[in-house]
Amino acid sequence: MSIAYAVVTVLGALMAGFSAWALFSRQEWVVAPLTEYGVPQSWWNRLAGAKAAGSAGMLVGLALPWVGVAAAIGLALYFTGAVVAVLRARSYGHVLFPMLYAAPAVASLALL
């Protein structure tokens, strides 16, 4: 395992974990756009749980690489879905944010 892989993986896990915390704790700067995009509030805990699981999986992946691969793929797909949701809502100014969260997950896969 390279140092770059470990750093990018930990960074991705921290970013996904922070994103999960922000949604679980209903931070206004997170829930306001979700409401604007039309994401039902009944989905929010499941979405936050998916991010938290991806975050934990990436950290576990430092010891069990197949878990990290699965978690990184899951997070990449999750944030791709977020990009689609933002684009469907025509909120083009926000499309960069889910892409920034997806980047470390994709980079960790590339560094394997």
Side-chain angles (χ1 to χ4, degrees):
M1 170 184 358
S2 72
I3 293 173
Y5 170 75
V7 169
V8 168
T9 298
V10 170
L11 175 65
L14 291 174
M15 288 174 66
F18 173 75
S19 183
W21 166 82
L23 185 51
F24 272 132
S25 64
R26 303 293 195 261
Q27 297 298 309
E28 182 62 27
W29 51 272
V30 173
V31 298
L34 288 178
T35 302
E36 176 187 331
Y37 306 153
V39 177
Q41 190 171 355
S42 62
W43 293 11
W44 294 357
N45 281 338
R46 289 184 182 100
L47 294 173
K51 290 189 272 191
S55 173
M58 286 187 71
L59 292 176
V60 170
L62 294 172
L64 299 170
W66 63 273
V67 174
V69 168
I73 290 171
L75 285 173
L77 291 173
Y78 175 94
F79 288 114
T80 299
V83 167
V84 170
V86 172
L87 292 175
R88 288 187 67 212
R90 301 187 197 288
S91 187
Y92 304 116
H94 295 170
V95 77
L96 180 63
F97 298 111
M99 292 172 70
L100 288 174
Y101 281 98
V106 173
S108 72
L109 290 170
L111 289 170
L112 271 178

